[in-house]
């Protein structure tokens, strides 16, 4: 079964050599009685020739081998006849004239084609059911290799920066303020549960108290959230924490990491330092906290313009403390009725009552709202938005955050429509990194009628804002940062609270978590902080998303060897599954069918 060479190795330098190769049968061709097998392994392809004039039995055997079977061949390296050289293959000048053929494992006919183009067309469920075949496709093999190279670059980088990798438990305890958790029943403690770790956040902070100073981990995290193209129930974070650092140290450290990954994997030089944008500016200008900076169409605020407007919808919004925002979709006046309707639906799905617009066409402004606007208001819009014939202006009038969010989404839709028309080019490899900073420490949750941590409750307030915690928590900025690339949040982190009194105050006075609950969930952490906790901060990056971007795919399932489907199933192994009554008994668990009332 041993092989003398891999399948991308043989060249003219090997002519005359006796070799043996093992791999998968990529294809079998019959050229006037001579049988050619393209033999493939993970390195490449070598052509093997079975000439019936030398060995009729062997070539008849070769003719009947089915594609994707695993075989071993032995033979000698010979030049390909003139005119049959394949310049696109490293082995394209030679072939192996076979003297032996051993079928190590015969393959059934695969349920879908294993070339990139063919495989891309089939239903993803089929690919996931036969993932071992899907992973044989060149694109998927390359994705796995890119993931390996990216991970290696990250480990090398942190090693060179004097960090050590420490593993933390997957079985943790339930801390319900984050995402929904996966619970694991305890056999030894009836009725009690572990929770799978959503992130190693608390452990990495404890490691700082333990004096590790510089920690990283390529860590598996688990969150029971609805799955999407960029979300899996288990995913991988590059998780980092360091002591005695401030925000500037973190920015420099992680710019270095990302630059190394892009250089090592793609050979691309990313300029640094990355630009930074305050959260408020990101919302005001792009309507989102993860702006895609590869294109313009910035939002403008016209709240002052419409404060005393005759157009009651805008005037009323401003009077009740809201904002009127507008954006010029340059060159989109040819929008169809259907497209406009679809945009309106998008706006409505975000809570808008409709989507006001002005179409600049044939030298006039066409819009149901234009008759309500004064000349001064029109002049203000035309000037600030640079409205020209062929443009389309969209408005949002709502509470500030909602108005930003609505128009921010419309901005993305508009970019897609202009791309479709060939009026805008957005390159996938136009890497626009950005730090978004100065988030509010707390956000007010209307449903819960209280404050919730914008990032997580361990984030330190900006020092000069700390005095506002008692009087105006909403105005306190957090030492939190997000790293954004082309409209995607790659990761985020913060400088942490390391003083137990301040941490307790955030839990109890600001977040209003009852003292006994704080003790139950976080008591061990507060205690640890009383034994010499250094100032510390850190960040976590979504590795799957980074690798997806490096591979040029939008689905993280393409860069995870064995992902779950959108419905959380492993179609290959077939999970989840029921378990035996004995197993349930050991775990002290009784199943209640979904249509039965709970006891
Ligand atoms: N643990 C955080 C998260 O998973 C990241 C961090 O603050 O370091 O989002």
């Amino acid at each position: 079964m041993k092989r003398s060479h891999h399948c991308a190795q043989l060249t003219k330098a090997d002519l005359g050599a006796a070799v043996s190769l093992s791999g998968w049968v990529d294809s079998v061709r019959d050229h006037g009685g001579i049988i050619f097998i393209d033999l493939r392994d993970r390195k490449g392809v070598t052509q093997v020739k079975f000439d019936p004039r030398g060995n009729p039995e062997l070539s008849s055997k070769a003719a009947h081998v089915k594609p994707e079977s695993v075989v071993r061949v032995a033979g000698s390296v010979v030049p390909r006849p003139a005119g049959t050289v394949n310049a696109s293959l490293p082995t394209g000048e030679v072939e192996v004239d076979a003297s032996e053929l051993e079928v190590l494992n015969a393959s059934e006919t695969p349920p879908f084609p294993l070339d990139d183009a063919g495989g891309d067309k089939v239903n993803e469920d089929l690919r996931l059911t036969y993932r071992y075949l899907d992973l044989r496709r060149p694109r998927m093999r390359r994705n796995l290799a890119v993931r390996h190279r990216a991970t290696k670059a990250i480990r090398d980088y942190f090693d060179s920066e004097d960090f050590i990798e420490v593993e933390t438990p997957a079985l943790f305890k339930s801390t319900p303020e984050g995402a929904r958790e996966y619970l694991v029943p305890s056999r030894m403690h009836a009725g009690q549960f572990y929770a799978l770790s959503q992130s190693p956040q608390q452990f990495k902070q404890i490691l700082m108290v333990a004096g590790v100073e510089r920690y990283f981990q390529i860590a598996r995290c688990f969150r029971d959230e609805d799955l999407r193209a960029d979300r899996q129930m288990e995913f991988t974070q590059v998780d980092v924490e360091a002591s005695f650092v401030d925000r500037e140290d973190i920015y420099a450290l992680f710019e270095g990491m990302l630059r190394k990954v892009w250089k090592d994997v793609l050979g691309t030089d990313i300029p640094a330092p990355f630009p930074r944008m305050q959260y408020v500016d990101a919302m005001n200008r792009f309507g989102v906290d993860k702006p895609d900076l590869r294109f313009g169409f910035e939002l403008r605020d016209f709240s002052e313009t419409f404060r005393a407007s005759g157009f009651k919808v805008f005037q009323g919004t401003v009077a009740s403390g809201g904002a009127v925002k507008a954006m010029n979709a340059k060159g989109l006046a040819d929008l169809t009725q259907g497209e406009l309707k679809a945009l309106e639906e998008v706006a409505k799905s975000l809570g808008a009552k409709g989507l006001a617009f002005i179409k600049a066409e044939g030298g006039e402004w066409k819009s149901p709202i234009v008759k309500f606007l004064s000349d001064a208001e029109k002049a203000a819009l035309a000037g600030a938005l640079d409205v020209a014939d062929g443009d389309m202006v969209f408005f949002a009038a709502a509470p500030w955050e909602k108005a930003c969010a609505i128009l921010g989404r419309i901005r993305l839709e508009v970019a897609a429509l202009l791309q479709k028309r060939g009026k805008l080019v957005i390159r996938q490899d136009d890497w626009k990194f950005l730090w978004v900073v100065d988030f509010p420490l707390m956000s007010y949750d209307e449903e819960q009628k209280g404050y919730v941590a914008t990032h997580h409750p361990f984030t330190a307030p900006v020092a000069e804002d700390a005095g506002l915690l008692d009087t105006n928590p909403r105005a306190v900025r957090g030492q939190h940062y997000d790293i954004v690339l082309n409209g995607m949040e790659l990761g985020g982190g913060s400088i942490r609270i390391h003083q137990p009194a301040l941490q307790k105050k955030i839990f109890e006075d600001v977040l209003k978590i009852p003292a006994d609950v704080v003790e139950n969930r976080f008591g061990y952490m507060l205690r640890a902080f009383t034994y010499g906790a250094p100032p510390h901060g850190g960040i976590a990056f979504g590795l799957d998303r980074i690798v997806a971007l490096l591979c040029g795919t939008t689905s993280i399932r393409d860069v995870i060897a064995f992902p779950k489907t959108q419905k959380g199933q492993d179609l290959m192994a077939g999970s989840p599954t029921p378990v035996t009554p004995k197993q349930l008994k050991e775990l002290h668990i009784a199943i209640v069918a979904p249509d039965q009332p709970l006891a």
Side-chain angles (χ1 to χ4, degrees):
M1 258 107 321
K2 290 241 177 86
R3 38 192 170 175
S4 62
H5 295 79
H6 63 68
C7 289
Q9 206 169 356
L10 298 172
T11 65
K12 266 163 58 181
D14 302 294
L15 286 177
V19 299
S20 66
L21 301 176
S22 296
W24 288 259
V25 173
D26 204 62
S27 62
V28 185
R29 297 183 308 276
D30 183 335
H31 276 210
I34 304 183
I35 306 300
F36 290 95
I37 285 183
D38 276 347
L39 190 63
R40 184 192 78 225
D41 65 12
R42 69 184 194 130
K43 294 286 193 178
V45 170
T46 299
Q47 179 166 293
V48 184
K49 178 174 74 176
F50 299 85
D51 192 334
R53 286 165 300 188
N55 188 339
E57 239 169 75
L58 191 68
S59 71
S60 142
K61 184 174 173 190
H64 292 98
V65 179
K66 287 180 65 178
E68 295 309 315
S69 297
V70 176
V71 301
R72 189 188 74 91
V73 299
S76 59
V77 182
V78 298
R80 290 200 194 185
T84 65
V85 165
N86 181 348
S88 66
L89 280 183
T91 60
E93 288 185 305
V94 300
E95 59 195 11
V96 170
D97 188 5
S99 54
E100 288 174 41
L101 168 66
E102 189 182 349
V103 178
L104 302 171
N105 181 294
S107 177
E108 299 290 342
T109 302
F112 56 89
L114 300 190
D115 60 306
D116 280 340
D120 281 348
K121 280 194 212 98
V122 305
N123 179 311
E124 194 185 17
D125 282 0
L126 189 63
R127 287 173 47 209
L128 289 172
T129 307
Y130 296 90
R131 191 60 158 179
Y132 40 88
L133 295 178
D134 190 36
L135 291 176
R136 285 185 199 170
R137 299 166 57 221
R139 186 168 74 82
M140 298 305 285
R141 265 207 324 261
R142 202 204 60 187
N143 288 359
L144 289 186
V146 165
R147 188 173 181 118
H148 163 75
R149 280 207 300 283
T151 313
K152 178 167 184 330
I154 289 166
R155 286 208 161 94
D156 289 348
Y157 178 76
F158 285 116
D159 181 64
S160 73
E161 292 286 333
D162 215 10
F163 281 69
I164 62 165
E165 183 162 15
V166 182
E167 290 175 78
T168 56
L171 292 173
F172 185 39
K173 74 171 195 173
S174 180
T175 56
E177 41 288 307
R180 193 185 300 118
E181 299 166 317
Y182 287 101
L183 298 177
V184 180
S186 165
R187 176 177 57 81
M188 289 187 278
H189 302 274
Q192 299 192 28
F193 294 81
Y194 304 94
L196 294 183
S197 173
Q198 300 194 19
S199 92
Q201 182 63 35
Q202 294 174 43
F203 286 109
K204 68 177 173 176
Q205 291 193 244
I206 294 286
L207 285 172
M208 296 303 104
V209 184
V212 167
E213 290 194 28
R214 286 161 94 78
Y215 143 95
F216 85 101
Q217 183 180 191
I218 311 261
R220 191 63 62 80
C221 304
F222 306 85
R223 296 183 190 172
D224 188 2
E225 295 175 313
D226 290 334
L227 306 186
R228 297 195 302 244
D230 63 350
R231 227 186 239 170
Q232 280 277 304
M233 46 211 292
E234 53 182 306
F235 60 96
T236 307
Q237 275 189 350
V238 179
D239 194 47
V240 187
E241 197 77 10
S243 295
F244 311 112
V245 291
D246 61 18
R247 282 179 284 178
E248 292 301 328
D249 299 317
I250 301 272
Y251 300 150
L253 194 62
F254 296 102
E255 286 173 7
M257 184 205 89
L258 287 165
R259 295 182 69 209
K260 178 168 167 63
V261 170
W262 256 251
K263 184 72 185 173
D264 285 10
V265 177
L266 298 178
T268 303
D269 288 301
I270 302 290
F274 299 168
R276 296 176 200 169
M277 193 181 290
Q278 292 195 325
Y279 164 78
V280 175
D281 291 337
M283 290 299 287
N284 266 326
R285 292 170 55 191
F286 301 95
V288 69
D289 60 2
K290 45 182 185 213
D292 191 337
L293 300 183
R294 291 174 300 173
F295 54 93
F297 312 118
E298 290 193 23
L299 324 185
R300 294 299 182 103
D301 197 299
F302 291 95
S303 306
E304 285 318 309
T305 310
F306 292 106
R307 188 172 288 283
S309 179
F311 183 36
K312 291 298 162 213
V313 177
F314 287 179
Q315 180 269 331
T317 301
V318 180
S320 60
V324 177
K325 312 222 33 142
M327 178 204 65
N328 184 358
K330 274 220 150 301
L332 198 61
D334 61 352
L335 196 76
T336 66
Q337 270 309 316
E339 287 169 331
L340 182 59
K341 192 109 203 88
L343 287 182
E344 224 173 72
E345 289 309 317
V346 168
K348 282 184 183 161
S349 75
L350 297 172
K353 296 209 180 65
L355 181 62
F357 66 89
I358 293 172
K359 187 189 280 193
E361 203 176 45
E364 54 175 321
W365 284 14
K366 299 178 183 163
S367 156
I369 70 166
V370 80
K371 58 177 176 286
F372 302 113
L373 305 184
S374 71
D375 286 343
E377 287 163 355
K378 284 191 239 175
L381 289 170
L385 292 171
D386 182 28
V387 183
D389 222 45
D391 290 355
M392 184 84 180
V393 174
F394 292 106
F395 295 87
W400 174 77
E401 212 174 334
K402 198 174 189 179
C404 293
I406 292 166
L407 225 44
R409 245 314 272 292
I410 297 295
R411 174 178 174 266
L412 298 182
E413 301 287 333
V414 157
L417 289 171
L418 287 167
Q419 261 190 306
K420 216 170 75 188
R421 288 163 163 74
K423 291 182 178 175
L424 176 69
V425 178
I426 302 174
R427 284 198 351 262
Q428 186 266 331
D429 62 350
D430 179 14
W431 309 110
K432 290 279 194 286
F433 287 92
L434 172 74
W435 289 106
V436 178
V437 299
D438 284 343
F439 285 82
L441 183 68
M442 302 290 159
S443 328
Y444 191 78
D445 188 302
E446 288 297 341
E447 251 169 59
Q448 294 185 29
K449 294 268 173 276
Y451 288 100
V452 292
T454 308
H455 184 48
H456 52 50
F458 313 112
T459 300
V462 169
E464 62 260 37
D465 294 354
L468 297 169
L469 272 175
D470 293 313
T471 49
N472 188 6
R474 220 182 281 227
V476 178
R477 289 165 299 165
Q479 295 198 49
H480 162 191
Y481 29 76
D482 272 355
I483 178 86
V484 170
L485 172 59
N486 297 354
M488 257 203 248
E489 185 197 319
L490 292 187
S494 58
I495 300 297
R496 328 293 185 188
I497 297 167
H498 71 284
Q499 298 290 6
L502 178 58
Q503 184 65 75
K504 205 160 168 345
K505 181 185 174 74
I506 296 277
F507 285 144
E508 293 179 8
D509 301 346
V510 183
L511 296 174
K512 306 275 187 238
I513 308 177
D516 58 322
V517 180
V518 169
E519 173 54 30
N520 206 328
R521 285 184 202 153
F522 304 113
Y524 79 96
M525 226 178 156
L526 292 170
R527 217 144 26 248
F529 284 0
T530 65
Y531 287 94
H536 59 284
I539 195 163
F541 287 84
L543 181 68
D544 308 291
R545 282 188 198 171
I546 292 183
V547 176
L549 283 163
L550 292 169
C551 291
T553 172
T554 49
S555 170
I556 63 170
R557 292 192 295 276
D558 282 347
V559 299
I560 296 173
F562 302 105
K564 304 276 190 293
T565 63
Q566 305 260 33
K567 287 194 184 130
Q569 287 168 307
D570 173 342
L571 293 177
M572 181 183 72
S575 76
T577 58
V579 295
T580 62
K582 179 165 175 281
Q583 285 172 297
L584 289 175
K585 191 157 178 257
E586 274 174 357
L587 293 171
H588 324 283
I589 291 213
I591 301 288
V592 179
D595 54 356
Q596 301 277 305
L598 273 175

